[in-house]
Structures are given as C-alpha cells and as structure tokens.
Amino acid sequence: RSSVRVLCGSNWSLVLQGQWMLEFYAPWCPACQQIEATWESFAKESEQLGITVGKVDVTQEPGLSGRFFVTTLPTIYHANDGVFRRYRGSRTLEDLQGYILERKWEAVEPVAGWKSPSSLMMHGMAGLFHFSGWIRQIHNYLTGTLGVHVWISYAIFILATLLIGLFLGL
C-alpha cells in the first residue's frame, strides 16, 4: 500500500494546511517513472519528517495542473500552510529529505500571491484547463463517434468561436 496521498480537484485544498511535498506526474512520462520509487520511499519517511507527501496525475486532473501552472514533468512543490514553493533540487531521496530536515525551503522564494494555486487568477486558470478538456472531448466525439472529418470539426470550432465573439461584441 502506498504512503503517497493522491490528490484531485475535490481534495487538493488539503495542501493548504500543514507541510506537504507534492509531485505532478503523468504515467507515460519517463522522468516521472524514474522518480516513482524514490517518491514512494520519501513518502514512507514522511511521518518522521513531519510532512505529507502527495501526487497528482496531470492526465486525470487538468484543472489542478492548471491551478499550479504545471508546464514540465515531473513538477514538485513544497507547501507549508498554503505558502507554495517550487522544488528545483535533485530528485534523490537524500536531497528530498535534506530539503525538509535542513529547512532549505525557507531560502526559496514563495510563489507570488497572484500565481498561488489558491488565488482567484489560478482558479480561473483551472477553469480554462477544464474548458480545454471539454473541447477536446467534443472534438473526439465529433471525429470518433460521429465520424466527422477532423477539418470539419475544426471548422465547427472556428465558426463557434466567431459566433460567440460576435454575440459578446454586441
């Protein structure tokens, strides 16, 4: 049984309380696969370190990866009572433990308030990521289920974008 807490859109706010290390990964990512055993070992030591270790599958949680503005994989964040810092150190077990034990995170600049995952702006970013996933589902339905040609699907989205723009402009 894994000691790593799996976070999703409904329980991500747990990281706003206490001290966390959070990994954003994708199952297909080779670098993420390399760090998986180390992350599990780190999680097993988490109780002695006084932290909670979590992970987010970006393929399942696009809104959450948008909220944290994840652009590379794996991405690791340290959170302490809602203050977020991006971890950019080595991904060895010793370095991860040292980051916590030696409080190296205190020397790292926190994520700016407006870019914080709990900010209104990043809430909107999460919404955009959800919206893009919804558009992708519609495209897949049109092309896969209904058999519409890809270019016709694109034309439908272009037309919808223009019509919505015209409507909002009025």
Side-chain angles (χ1 to χ4, degrees):
R1 184 168 173 232
S2 176
S3 301
V4 178
R5 296 276 309 259
V6 176
L7 295 175
C8 60
S10 62
N11 71 352
W12 82 270
S13 60
L14 292 172
V15 301
L16 297 175
Q17 297 170 350
Q19 190 170 191
W20 286 73
M21 287 292 280
L22 187 59
E23 175 199 17
F24 289 84
Y25 74 99
W28 50 261
C29 167
C32 301
Q33 293 167 356
Q34 283 181 329
I35 191 178
E36 188 173 353
T38 303
W39 200 250
E40 286 290 336
S41 298
F42 184 50
K44 287 178 182 163
E45 302 292 323
S46 64
E47 197 170 311
Q48 291 89 339
L49 297 170
I51 64 167
T52 306
V53 176
K55 66 180 180 179
V56 176
D57 181 349
V58 299
T59 63
Q60 299 298 313
E61 298 295 332
L64 199 50
S65 65
R67 183 178 291 275
F68 281 81
F69 208 69
V70 173
T71 57
T72 58
L73 295 174
T75 296
I76 299 173
Y77 276 94
H78 173 267
N80 190 25
D81 292 326
V83 177
F84 297 90
R85 292 171 171 86
R86 177 111 182 246
Y87 176 79
R88 298 183 189 270
S90 171
R91 296 176 181 147
T92 65
L93 180 58
E94 296 77 25
D95 286 334
L96 289 166
Q97 290 171 334
Y99 188 76
I100 300 301
L101 289 172
E102 298 167 23
R103 300 178 68 92
K104 292 180 180 177
W105 53 270
E106 291 177 336
V108 177
E109 180 94 18
V111 174
W114 63 276
K115 285 178 71 177
S116 175
S118 57
S119 73
L120 182 61
M121 172 132 171
M122 296 319 269
H123 180 73
M125 185 66 72
L128 285 174
F129 274 65
H130 278 296
F131 183 66
S132 70
W134 183 70
I135 288 174
R136 186 176 347 170
Q137 287 177 337
I138 292 172
H139 173 73
N140 289 340
Y141 176 75
L142 290 172
T143 58
T145 306
L146 298 181
V148 173
H149 193 275
V150 172
W151 288 106
I152 294 174
S153 175
Y154 292 159
I156 291 170
F157 282 109
I158 290 169
L159 183 61
T161 302
L162 290 172
L163 290 175
I164 291 169
L166 285 171
F167 177 75
L168 291 175
L170 293 175

